[in-house]
């Protein structure tokens, strides 16, 4: 009998169906990967198991945990079950912990709520749980507050809370999506170790096929509230019976085809950054000492030619955002020089004028919060016009708005709509249209596809490649996602602690990384094909072992 | 924690110095001659000159400012022009009416607002919540002096439980005084409690939607436990801000209520001194009120740090 069995689970919110006839099963000691894009209902399935659905949600179906029918459980029974027999880990470690309680108290609370143990005993068990997740006592005493910890460390605390009572089932909802690749690798390894040690069943919810291929024994693919395909990991990926599985697979490995047209001046340097330094002041250590500073960007140089796409990768805190802000002239530089189209763009004590500013545009990560919701699309994308000395007249304005919209694959009629009428992918197209409209020399793409689903991401990458081919626009493509950088860029720079540690043609760097940090980054990046091969090799080895 | 407090104390001192300068210049330097102000339009130039002399107004302004400040520090506020008694005495008497009244009103409003706000948030969109929101809306809208008159009509004139006004003095005993302050405190507290309850509710609703409350529920806490143990303390910061503002308002802004109930408080003193152009009293009382407001702000800042560990590390 399976540890968890879900049959014909239906969930609806105010009459709108969210989940339809979902059926899943997890065995003890096994990992089930639930994969899908946003809105596919994968998180809702997890919340239905926990019975923590939003107010106004109706559900029916069978959810059995170790033979117990949870659909018959009262709220009180569920409270006794949550945290005790089912632990849960969430996506966003930065906000998942109570900021005003120590980590010790928060882990101990799980134990106190479920057992009659004394506070002392609960703290002892909490200590053990924190040790198990790799937060040793000497560096992480119980009285630390969450704000002292990094994202990965906080996620470890959340995991400690979830496994403190050694539950039978652990649900991890996108546990590593908000983390850097090396941290992701560590957290996944930890989860795997805990599953093996405790014989837990685990449901791993993710949008990342490579992660799931590495971690899960079985996979369920969800789309629009339904499980479209389920099965053993290797078989599922090797056969890919359902067209949606196939399209997900293709989208996540998508490399846009390039076909650059000959534009005069292609390859001529657009932006030249030389020896740029950005310091942040630190608080004074005492009243009389001079304030120290933190060097976020340390003598960085780079150059991008016309029509060239350059990637900038590195983990959070490496200085890539600070460098971006300096290139956008949002922050002054302390030393060094940035040249644009041969003229001085920004140096110490000197920023660009309006005309220069116009020629560098940016597309940000979050398509939901980077637009004013009260303006129509035409006004939103025509916003950069104020950087022009001569405002275009009505007709010209109209023409250019239409052109920008058509360029990014939207309709001229979309100009009169509001931003909430568009999906995430369409919004990102509008953000690109806004950057394009005044014909910049350089577009900075700051994690511009990181928040998008794989299928949408593939479309946006195609669009970017097409624009670069046709219009010879240069991109500085900043991302923590190495596979995307590999797909779209010609050259790549790897940044660590404010310095560029490796630079070269993208394919060369990915094939033959020279710097140990680049090697570490690449090793930590999950790759679907390799994960599958490793899995098959393991299966073959154990099969041999069984037969011999 | 200590560096944080020192930083707050330094900023408190700077605010006080700035405030004293502003008060001094607005009252003594900017609007012309205080002596002719005090003596009125028909005074002869000789009388004005004599008064200027006796008030020490002929000394240069920085000198007079210095004398005023050093006097304040030593508790010497000067002699009131109209009452002919030391200003410090005048203020002390009134202070011991206004201060207890404010504290009383604040305690009442907090005691009402906290549970009401929490209940409304815990039962969001229920009939209880809707009626609480309705009543507090009314409470915010009703002017407190009108409400005070209704209280007098009901409790003093019809039921005869409380006297309609006046203050017996602290010699009459604690309970007699508190009784005299009860109706004014209620009149002050109810509108404030309405505001505070609404702030409490919305702040708590915000925190209840936070990820860490979901984490708490996933640990097996009931809705109620998650609210009390995790949401409440995080919801307190905006509530504390409002409490601090309300206390400052109560101390200085009770003028109308003090008038309705014939209470000899600071508000009434300022009001009377202004009409009588007793500028030396005005100046000192205003400074005292500013001091009280800044002190309350300091206390609120320290409370923030107690509630939120992130603030304990002083940031530059």
């Amino acid at each position: 009998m399976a540890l968890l069995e879900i049959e014909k689970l239906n969930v609806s919110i105010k009459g709108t169906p969210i989940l339809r006839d979902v059926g899943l099963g997890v065995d003890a000691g096994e990992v089930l990967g639930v994969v899908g894009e946003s809105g596919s209902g994968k998180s809702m399935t997890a919340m239905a198991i926990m019975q923590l659905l939003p107010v106004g949600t109706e559900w029916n179906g069978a959810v059995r945990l170790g033979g117990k029918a949870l659909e018959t459980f009262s709220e009180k029974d569920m409270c006794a079950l949550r945290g005790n027999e089912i632990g849960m880990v969430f996506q966003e470690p930065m906000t998942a912990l109570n900021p005003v309680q120590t980590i010790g108290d928060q882990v101990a609370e799980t134990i106190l709520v479920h057992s009659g143990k004394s506070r002392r005993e609960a703290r002892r068990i909490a200590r053990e749980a924190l040790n198990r997740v790799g937060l040793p006592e000497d560096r992480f005493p119980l009285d630390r507050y969450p704000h002292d910890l990094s994202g990965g460390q906080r996620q470890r605390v959340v995991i400690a809370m979830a496994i403190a009572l050694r539950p039978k089932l652990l649900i991890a909802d996108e546990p590593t999506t908000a983390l850097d690749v090396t941290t992701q690798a560590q957290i996944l390894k930890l989860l795997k170790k805990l599953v093996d040690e405790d014989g837990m069943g685990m449901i791993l919810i993710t949008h990342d096929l490579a992660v799931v291929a590495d971690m899960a024994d079985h996979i369920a693919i969800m789309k629009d509230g339904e499980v479209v395909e389920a099965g053993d990991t290797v078989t599922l990926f090797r056969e890919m019976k359902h067209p949606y599985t196939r399209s997900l697979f293709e989208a996540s490995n998508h490399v846009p085809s390039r076909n650059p047209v000959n534009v005069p001046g292609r390859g001529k340097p657009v932006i030249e950054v030389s020896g740029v330094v950005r310091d942040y002041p630190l608080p004074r250590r005492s009243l009389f000492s001079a304030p120290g500073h933190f060097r976020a960007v340390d003598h960085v140089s780079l150059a991008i030619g016309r029509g060239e796409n350059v990637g900038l990768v590195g983990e959070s805190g490496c200085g890539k955002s600070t460098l971006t802000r300096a290139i956008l002239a949002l922050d002054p530089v302390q030393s060094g020089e940035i040249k644009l189209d041969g003229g001085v763009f920004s140096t110490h004590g000197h920023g660009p004028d309006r005309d220069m500013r116009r020629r560098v545009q940016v597309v940000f990560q979050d398509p939901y919060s980077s637009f004013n919701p009260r303006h129509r699309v035409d006004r939103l994308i025509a916003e950069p016009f104020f950087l022009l000395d001569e405002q275009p007249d009505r007709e010209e304005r109209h023409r250019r708005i239409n052109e920008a919209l058509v360029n990014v694959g939207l309709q001229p009629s979309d100009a009169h709509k509001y931003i909430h009428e568009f999906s995430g992918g369409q919004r990102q197209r509008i953000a690109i249209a806004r950057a394009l409209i005044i014909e910049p020399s350089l577009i900075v793409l700051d994690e511009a596809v990181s928040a998008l689903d794989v299928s949408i991401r593939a479309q946006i990458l195609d669009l970017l490649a097409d624009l670069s081919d046709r219009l010879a626009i240069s991109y500085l493509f900043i991302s923590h996602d190495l596979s995307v950088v590999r797909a779209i860029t010609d050259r790549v720079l790897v940044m660590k602690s404010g310095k560029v540690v490796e630079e070269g043609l993208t394919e060369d760097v990915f094939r033959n990384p020279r710097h140990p940090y680049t090697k570490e980054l690449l090793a930590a990046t999950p790759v679907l094909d390799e994960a599958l091969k490793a899995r098959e090799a393991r299966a073959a080895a154990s099969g041999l072992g069984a037969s011999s | 924690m200590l560096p944080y407090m020192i930083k707050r104390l330094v900023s408190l001192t700077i605010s006080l110095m700035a405030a004293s300068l502003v008060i001094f210049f607005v009252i003594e330097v900017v609007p012309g001659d205080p002596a002719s102000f005090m003596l009125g339009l028909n005074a002869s130039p000789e009388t004005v000159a004599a008064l200027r002399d006796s008030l020490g107004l002929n000394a240069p302004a920085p000198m007079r400012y210095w004398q005023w400040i050093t006097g304040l520090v030593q508790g010497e506020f000067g002699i009131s022009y109209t009452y002919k008694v030391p200003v410090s005495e005048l203020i002390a008497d009134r202070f011991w009416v206004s201060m207890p009244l404010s504290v009383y009103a604040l305690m009442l409003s907090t005691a009402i607002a906290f549970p009401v706000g929490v209940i409304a948030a815990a039962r969001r969109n229920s009939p209880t919540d809707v009626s609480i929101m309705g009543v507090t809306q009314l409470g915010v809208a009703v002017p407190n002096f009108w409400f005070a008159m209704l209280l007098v009509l009901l409790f003093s004139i019809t039921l005869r439980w409380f006297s309609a006004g006046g203050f017996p003095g602290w010699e009459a005993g604690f309970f007699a005084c508190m009784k005299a302050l009860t109706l004014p405190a209620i009149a002050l507290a109810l509108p404030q409690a309405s505001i505070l309850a609404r702030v409490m509710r919305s702040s708590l609703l915000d925190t209840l939607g936070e990820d860490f409350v979901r984490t708490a529920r996933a640990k097996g806490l009931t809705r109620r436990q998650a609210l009390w143990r995790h949401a409440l303390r995080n919801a307190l910061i905006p509530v504390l801000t409002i409490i601090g503002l309300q206390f400052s308002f109560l101390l200085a802004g009770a003028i109308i209520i003090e008038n309705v109930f014939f209470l000899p408080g600071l508000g009434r003193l300022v009001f009377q001194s202004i009409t009588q152009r007793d500028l030396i009293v005005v100046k000192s009382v205003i400074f005292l009120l500013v001091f009280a407001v800044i002190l309350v702000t300091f206390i609120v800042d320290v409370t923030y740090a107690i509630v939120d560990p992130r603030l304990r590390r002083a940031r530059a």
Side-chain angles (χ1 to χ4, degrees):
Chain A
M1 183 188 59
L3 169 67
L4 176 82
E5 284 173 307
I6 300 177
E7 273 169 30
K8 293 207 175 305
L9 176 66
N10 286 284
V11 172
S12 63
I13 298 180
K14 288 178 183 145
T16 315
I18 306 293
L19 296 181
R20 272 180 298 234
D21 288 338
V22 169
L24 296 171
V26 187
D27 282 321
E30 182 201 83
V31 179
L32 170 73
V34 178
V35 185
E37 298 189 291
S38 41
S40 63
K42 52 195 196 302
S43 292
M44 209 47 118
T45 309
M47 291 323 246
I49 299 168
M50 296 291 273
Q51 292 190 21
L52 285 176
L53 292 162
V55 182
T57 312
E58 290 180 11
W59 71 283
N60 60 63
V63 180
R64 283 189 298 276
L65 180 76
K68 286 178 280 195
L70 300 193
E71 68 272 16
T72 63
F73 272 37
S74 68
E75 171 61 21
K76 198 168 151 247
D77 298 334
M78 278 311 295
C79 281
L81 199 81
R82 288 183 206 123
N84 193 5
E85 294 188 36
I86 313 176
M88 186 151 181
V89 178
F90 302 95
Q91 172 170 0
E92 194 38 83
M94 299 312 273
T95 53
L97 293 171
N98 185 344
V100 305
Q101 271 188 11
T102 62
I103 56 171
D105 283 344
Q106 296 192 53
V107 179
E109 192 177 31
T110 312
I111 299 138
L112 286 170
V113 167
H114 291 291
S115 63
K117 292 205 166 65
S118 68
R119 244 187 99 71
R120 257 187 72 170
E121 179 66 5
R123 287 178 74 84
R124 191 190 60 75
I125 300 175
R127 182 68 265 164
E128 256 174 33
L130 286 169
N131 293 346
R132 277 189 82 197
V133 298
L135 299 175
E137 181 158 22
D138 51 336
R139 280 172 56 220
F140 303 95
L142 293 178
D143 57 4
R144 283 281 205 113
Y145 283 98
H147 64 255
D148 291 325
L149 308 182
S150 70
Q153 290 163 351
R154 289 186 206 198
Q155 195 63 305
R156 285 172 192 268
V157 176
V158 177
I159 294 172
M161 283 180 347
I163 57 114
L165 291 172
R166 302 188 183 241
K168 295 177 187 152
L169 177 70
L170 182 67
I171 304 175
D173 187 354
E174 303 268 10
T176 57
T177 306
L179 302 172
D180 285 324
V181 277
T182 48
T183 320
Q184 161 166 294
Q186 291 161 8
I187 294 287
L188 291 176
K189 207 172 133 199
L190 169 67
L191 287 172
K192 192 134 205 177
K193 185 189 91 164
L194 293 170
V195 166
D196 289 345
E197 282 176 5
D198 291 2
M200 273 187 299
M202 178 160 106
I203 300 182
L204 177 70
I205 296 170
T206 181
H207 66 281
D208 190 328
L209 295 179
V211 165
V212 95
D214 178 32
M215 290 284 291
D217 307 304
H218 288 88
I219 289 179
I221 309 260
M222 288 188 76
K223 180 177 192 278
D224 301 331
E226 284 174 293
V227 177
V228 295
E229 187 170 0
D232 164 73
T233 301
V234 176
T235 325
L236 185 134
F237 275 118
R238 291 297 180 220
E239 292 178 3
M240 289 197 281
K241 287 187 190 129
H242 197 277
Y244 180 69
T245 312
R246 190 175 299 274
S247 74
L248 262 188
F249 178 81
E250 276 160 12
S252 68
N253 291 312
H254 183 74
V255 177
S257 58
R258 304 303 297 263
N259 188 10
V261 290
N262 210 357
V263 172
R266 191 179 273 280
K268 213 176 76 186
V270 169
I271 194 154
E272 292 156 278
V273 175
S274 42
V276 161
V277 171
R278 268 292 290 144
D279 289 336
Y280 285 117
L282 289 176
R284 289 165 202 268
R285 289 191 184 280
S286 77
L287 206 55
F288 302 105
S289 64
H293 62 257
F294 172 71
R295 185 149 286 186
V297 173
D298 191 359
H299 294 94
V300 166
S301 302
L302 65 96
I304 304 175
R306 176 125 201 245
E308 194 181 22
N309 304 335
V310 173
L312 181 62
V313 297
E315 299 191 276
S316 39
C318 75
K320 60 187 195 297
S321 298
T322 309
L323 178 63
T324 316
R325 289 184 65 83
I327 289 174
L328 291 167
L330 296 173
D331 289 331
V333 299
Q334 270 70 46
S335 112
E337 186 184 62
I338 301 174
K339 279 172 132 184
L340 184 72
D341 296 331
V344 176
F345 180 69
S346 146
T347 120
H348 180 61
H350 167 87
D353 58 15
R354 246 187 3 181
D355 179 55
M356 282 239 174
R357 249 176 218 282
R358 174 185 77 76
R359 289 186 258 155
V360 182
Q361 294 290 320
V362 63
V363 177
F364 292 108
Q365 171 170 6
D366 189 347
Y368 290 92
S369 60
S370 48
F371 289 103
N372 184 336
R374 286 179 186 80
H375 291 173
R376 287 179 206 276
V377 166
D378 54 354
R379 182 163 171 195
L380 288 172
I381 64 174
E383 217 148 18
F385 278 154
F386 82 94
L387 290 165
L388 299 176
D389 288 329
E390 265 180 58
Q391 294 295 317
D393 59 26
R394 259 182 78 93
E395 242 168 66
E396 169 73 1
R397 198 182 146 89
H398 195 67
R399 190 188 64 76
R400 286 174 75 169
I401 290 171
N402 287 352
E403 189 186 287
L405 284 172
V406 172
N407 259 331
V408 298
L410 294 171
Q411 303 295 320
S413 58
D414 289 331
H416 302 292
K417 292 186 185 162
Y418 286 97
I419 198 74
H420 67 259
E421 299 173 56
F422 296 92
S423 68
Q426 287 172 322
R427 287 179 201 214
Q428 212 58 328
R429 285 174 190 267
I430 293 168
I432 295 168
R434 174 167 66 182
L436 270 181
I437 199 162
I438 53 174
E439 294 156 9
S441 308
L442 175 73
I443 298 184
V444 176
L445 299 157
D446 188 356
E447 301 277 3
V449 297
S450 304
L452 304 174
D453 282 323
V454 281
S455 56
I456 310 293
R457 189 176 77 189
Q459 292 168 17
I460 297 289
L461 289 178
D462 279 340
L463 168 67
L464 290 172
D466 169 58
L467 291 173
S468 171
D469 285 346
R470 280 195 293 129
L471 310 173
I473 297 171
S474 313
Y475 300 132
L476 178 60
F477 196 96
I478 295 137
S479 184
H480 69 280
D481 187 336
L482 297 177
S483 62
V484 174
V485 170
R486 189 172 192 173
I488 186 90
T489 63
D490 308 317
R491 269 193 307 126
V492 67
L493 289 93
V494 183
M495 236 180 132
K496 182 177 195 268
S497 313
K499 290 187 175 139
V500 173
V501 295
E502 181 156 2
E503 180 179 1
L505 293 176
T506 305
E507 269 316 301
D508 292 349
V509 172
F510 275 82
R511 278 180 208 280
N512 296 308
R514 287 189 310 274
H515 194 275
Y517 179 68
T518 317
K519 288 180 188 162
E520 194 187 324
L521 272 186
L522 285 169
T525 308
V527 181
L528 210 163
D529 211 40
E530 285 172 22
L532 286 179
K533 278 180 192 148
R535 202 164 266 288
E536 281 167 334
R538 274 204 305 276
S542 68
L544 279 178
S547 62
S548 63
Chain B
M1 188 78 180
L2 197 66
Y4 174 80
M5 284 181 68
I6 292 172
K7 253 186 64 197
R8 302 318 312 168
L9 268 176
V10 169
S11 100
L12 176 148
T13 319
I14 294 171
S15 315
L16 266 186
M17 285 185 342
S20 69
L21 271 172
V22 170
I23 294 168
F24 179 81
F25 275 89
V26 166
I27 289 185
E28 283 204 26
V29 179
V30 181
D33 182 14
S36 46
F37 235 130
M38 274 183 246
L39 291 170
L41 288 172
N42 299 327
S44 69
E46 292 79 26
T47 340
V48 174
L51 182 63
R52 283 185 65 83
D53 210 38
S54 72
L55 291 178
L57 287 180
N58 290 329
M63 184 74 126
R64 278 183 286 133
Y65 173 72
W66 180 247
Q67 281 165 353
W68 179 54
I69 290 294
T70 45
L72 280 183
V73 173
Q74 293 158 13
E76 284 292 321
F77 292 62
I79 308 284
S80 157
Y81 305 141
T82 40
Y83 295 96
K84 309 287 182 220
V85 289
V87 177
S88 49
E89 233 172 77
L90 213 53
I91 291 179
D93 285 350
R94 312 300 171 105
F95 180 77
W96 288 113
V97 177
S98 286
M99 180 70 180
L101 176 63
S102 314
V103 173
Y104 194 178
L106 194 75
M107 280 166 51
L108 269 180
S109 87
T110 316
I112 298 168
F114 264 61
V116 168
V118 172
I119 290 171
R123 308 194 181 158
R124 183 183 194 178
N125 293 336
S126 70
T128 323
D129 180 27
V130 173
S131 34
I132 286 175
M133 282 295 97
V135 171
T136 52
Q137 184 90 65
L138 208 65
V140 175
V142 168
N144 59 10
F145 62 87
W146 181 76
F147 184 63
M149 290 192 284
L150 287 188
L151 288 176
V152 171
L153 268 178
L154 179 63
F155 291 104
S156 310
I157 298 175
T158 314
L159 294 172
R160 299 190 171 275
W161 289 356
F162 293 93
S163 68
F167 188 71
W170 288 99
E171 314 81 64
F174 179 76
F175 286 104
C177 290
M178 289 322 267
K179 196 177 167 191
L181 292 180
T182 298
L183 285 189
I186 294 175
L188 284 170
L190 277 186
Q192 306 242 341
S194 303
I195 299 173
L196 203 59
R198 294 176 79 89
V199 174
M200 182 82 226
R201 173 184 179 271
S202 67
S203 171
L204 197 53
L205 283 180
D206 282 349
T207 19
L208 281 173
E210 295 277 353
D211 284 354
F212 59 78
V213 174
R214 186 185 59 184
T215 310
R217 296 275 286 136
K219 276 199 262 184
L221 272 70
T222 61
R223 266 176 61 90
R224 184 184 292 252
Q225 285 171 327
L227 187 150
W228 283 102
R229 296 193 197 168
H230 292 277
L232 197 57
R233 193 164 150 198
N234 280 286
L236 277 184
I237 293 263
V239 177
L240 285 172
T241 311
I242 302 290
I243 290 181
L245 290 173
Q246 291 194 337
F247 186 76
S248 316
F249 169 80
L250 285 171
L251 204 55
I255 303 181
I256 298 175
I257 291 294
E258 284 175 2
N259 269 310
V260 172
F261 289 98
F262 304 105
L263 292 175
L266 284 175
R268 242 165 97 92
L269 181 65
V270 179
F271 184 65
Q272 285 166 348
S273 313
I274 290 173
T275 48
Q276 290 158 357
R277 292 188 187 152
D278 199 344
L279 293 182
I280 193 158
V281 177
V282 176
K283 198 167 66 177
S284 305
V285 178
I286 291 182
F287 186 75
L288 185 78
L289 291 176
V290 169
F291 179 73
V293 169
I294 292 178
L295 190 71
V296 169
T297 314
F298 172 72
I299 295 171
V300 170
D301 282 346
V302 172
T303 328
Y304 283 163
I306 294 173
V307 171
D308 192 337
R310 283 168 294 187
L311 291 172
R312 285 176 213 159
R313 289 187 302 187
R315 271 170 294 174

